Amino acid sequence: MSNVITYSLFTDFDIDLFKAGKHFRLYEKLGAHLTEVNGVKGVYFAVWAPTAKTVSVVGDFNYWTQGEHLLEVRWDSSGIWEGFIPNLEKGAIYKYKIESNNGGIVTEKADPFAFYCEKPPHTASVIWDLDYEWKDINWMQSRPEHNNLDKPYSVYEVHLGSWKRHSHENRFLTYLEFAEDLVNYVKETGFTHVEFMPIMEYPYDPSWGYQLVGYFAPTSRFGKPQDFMVLVDKLHQAGIGVILDWVPSHFPEDAHGLGFFDGSSLYEHPDRRKGYHPDWKSLVFNYGRNEVRSFLISNAIFWLQHYHVDGLRVDAVASMLYLDYSRNEGEWEPNIYGGRENLDTISFLKEFNEAVYANFQGVQTIAEESTSFPMVSRPTFTGGLGFGMKWMMGWMHDTLQYFQKETVYRKYHQDDLTFSMTYAFSENFMLPLSHDEVVYGKKSIANRMPGDEWQKFANLRLLYGYMFTHPGTKLLFMGSEFGQSEEWNFQESLDWHLLQYDYHKGIKRTITDLNNLYKTKPALYEKQFSNDGFEWINYSDHQNAVLSYIRKGNNLKDDLVVVCNFTQVSRDNYRIGLPRKGKLLEIFNSDLKIYEGSGVTNSGDLNIESSPYDGRDYSIELILPPLSVTVYSFL
């Protein structure tokens, strides 16, 4: 007598959608679901394994015995195996033991749709539910007011394993501890959003979470799924949005993972030229297979629905878009038109973005895309990929390259800064100073700055001031907000002890005030993706290494004037042209003594003169503090 009862959650319509690649809530059907059949409580299991000869559920409840709980394959050629096991309870540990038709290979696999996984290095899945009483109704109802593209996005990028640890034992904080410490800190420093590096279950710590196995499970390193819900909930209650890094680009070959799942290339592309990533030694999804598309888009929808996430930052989009990415000649095959673009990926990304925006209000998708692929953040109905934003990798590279130069040489390299404005509005750009910029010998952001200690920190304040007044949204990796000295080490806590020193406290206060400036001055966000929101005053004063520009909002009265002095020479009586009469008031100055600057300021109301300059009818003389950004409002 079978220990598994014949039962199904699938309708014929579900199967049709799945086969067509249009089922975007597969997590409601596939996986392990606590339910009741004929008055008996237990668990319904369903797994996609079309090349399997047999599929058994094995676990701590049957001594991991193959054949004790055999699932039945559906009659409809969907490749789905399913069945109900009575009397199983939440918390039971299990895997699928799959015997393949391809040579009788037998493998034990974690459930691709598991809601919870064992704590690594253990690899089994855990029967769990998603029950939780959310308390963030105010945030969810008003989410578009926080997350639309004409709102401020100042994102704090966090790796949970190394943001902070318990010092005496170097152990991780828990989700519940983050829900206190991290939430309070982000609120204090004024960031509008947190972006978590991947929190989906991953086996290998040095991957930083970018090689996923449990796509539907928050990692158990820090607690239970509901504990992560508490963290998101608390962030929302504090008025802070949550963005998750999402990795549909590749997955590891770990034996318990998605690779060669049923004895065939099920999730990965069978052609190694398309199905294997040489840089990361990982497998690449088969974006042309309908069931795989359903899996990935369902996963995106899952985090937005069940974890109330406000956005997904999609990792390594460039590696997905190009067939020749990191491949030599002869190692890739052109598309049907002879090009290098992966047409299946393009189609998939468009469908993913359409599904996200059709199902949720006030969310955003963000592409980490490092090439000049066109229209990444343009709507699909105009031919774009449909992302809300795209990382501005060129700005990041050029800006850091400029700031690393000794100030005496900067006059020869001003084009490194001004070049970004030639393409700044071709996409909806986010300016990232991310984790990738503080590893592998690149040094921390603070330690890239030239000069003595005072100049290093003045340069850092200048960099952040320039970043926050440049068009586009902002992203800053954890530790950069207080001038972390050492490179990021995923195995250790940030160097929080640095905040006992004045220069580091000054950087943190600078970031806090810049966040407040960004959030309260509409000129810095209302038109952050539009050419109408920016106007150069003077970009050609190479000799003095000074840039000046105007940021504009929807109302003329909100315009801001920004002047950046990229040398340590204080400049008195520095004249800039302006478009109209009136007065200016200095509202931000990165050289203030409260930031550990030298304290050179423009105090009081500053009169604009009817004196032509910079091709404009009016002008004003300002004092430019050394290595500074000063921001002025019109009175």
Side-chain angles (χ1 to χ4, degrees), residues 254-490:
D254 294 62
H256 67 291
L258 297 178
F260 212 59
F261 188 79
D262 63 350
S264 70
S265 295
L266 190 63
Y267 289 90
E268 68 271 25
H269 200 287
D271 184 343
R272 292 284 278 190
R273 293 174 296 179
K274 296 180 181 178
Y276 181 75
H277 200 293
D279 284 355
W280 304 316
K281 296 178 173 54
S282 55
L283 301 174
V284 179
F285 284 104
N286 184 355
Y287 305 107
R289 187 164 192 169
N290 286 342
E291 296 91 341
V292 173
R293 292 164 77 106
S294 280
F295 170 80
L296 287 171
I297 296 175
S298 290
N299 186 242
I301 298 293
F302 171 81
W303 292 102
L304 295 165
Q305 178 182 344
H306 283 288
Y307 286 86
H308 288 200
V309 168
D310 305 293
L312 297 171
R313 175 266 196 187
V314 182
D315 182 62
V317 172
S319 75
M320 300 168 66
L321 287 173
Y322 293 104
L323 296 164
D324 62 345
Y325 187 92
S326 286
R327 290 173 174 82
N328 299 316
E329 191 173 344
E331 295 177 348
W332 62 282
E333 182 181 43
N335 63 36
I336 58 173
Y337 304 111
R340 49 196 284 261
E341 297 81 14
N342 188 325
L343 302 181
D344 287 337
T345 293
I346 293 169
S347 168
F348 161 72
L349 289 174
K350 289 181 177 182
E351 189 167 27
F352 149 71
N353 280 310
E354 288 169 354
V356 166
Y357 285 108
N359 282 279
F360 300 93
Q361 282 193 317
V363 302
Q364 298 294 341
T365 61
I366 305 163
E368 189 238 345
E369 203 284 315
S370 55
T371 74
S372 57
F373 192 93
M375 301 180 71
V376 171
S377 58
R378 295 293 178 259
T380 57
F381 62 79
T382 66
L385 290 183
F387 286 93
M389 287 177 262
K390 170 182 170 173
W391 276 19
M392 198 176 191
M393 311 291 272
W395 172 89
M396 176 190 68
H397 176 269
D398 292 346
T399 300
L400 290 177
Q401 181 173 276
Y402 177 88
F403 269 87
Q404 286 174 216
K405 291 180 169 61
E406 296 288 344
T407 55
V408 67
Y409 301 118
R410 288 180 176 175
K411 61 184 177 183
Y412 304 112
H413 299 279
Q414 193 139 312
D415 290 349
D416 285 351
L417 292 183
T418 58
F419 180 66
S420 64
M421 292 310 304
T422 65
Y423 65 95
F425 306 110
S426 61
E427 300 275 4
N428 298 337
F429 279 119
M430 173 176 280
L431 313 183
L433 291 175
S434 72
H435 66 274
D436 279 328
E437 301 315 303
V438 293
V439 289
Y440 301 140
K442 294 178 183 176
K443 301 181 182 177
S444 67
I445 300 295
N447 269 347
R448 292 196 194 193
M449 302 296 107
D452 59 24
E453 188 175 33
W454 187 90
Q455 290 179 10
K456 278 182 181 292
F457 282 90
N459 268 304
L460 193 57
R461 295 191 301 270
L462 169 57
L463 167 62
Y464 293 155
Y466 167 65
M467 174 186 186
F468 272 77
T469 56
H470 187 289
T473 54
K474 331 295 175 189
L475 178 138
L476 196 62
F477 183 57
M478 63 182 198
S480 302
E481 81 283 0
F482 62 79
Q484 169 92 3
S485 302
E486 299 300 317
E487 274 194 345
W488 172 50
N489 182 347
F490 73 92

Side-chain angles (χ1 to χ4, degrees), residues 6-21:
T6 300
Y7 183 73
S8 182
L9 289 179
F10 282 90
T11 65
D12 291 345
F13 184 57
D14 286 322
I15 297 299
D16 289 343
L17 288 175
F18 177 51
K19 289 180 177 179

Side-chain angles (χ1 to χ4, degrees), residues 106-121:
V106 178
T107 56
E108 278 190 5
K109 294 289 187 178
D111 188 346
F113 285 84
F115 297 145
Y116 190 29
C117 301
E118 280 191 298
K119 190 174 182 179

Side-chain angles (χ1 to χ4, degrees), residues 606-633:
L606 308 170
N607 289 311
I608 300 172
E609 303 168 16
S610 297
S611 178
Y613 202 76
D614 287 331
R616 290 167 178 81
D617 292 336
Y618 308 98
S619 63
I620 195 169
E621 283 190 348
L622 301 170
I623 302 170
L624 305 190
L627 292 171
S628 70
V629 173
T630 46
V631 182
Y632 309 86
S633 62

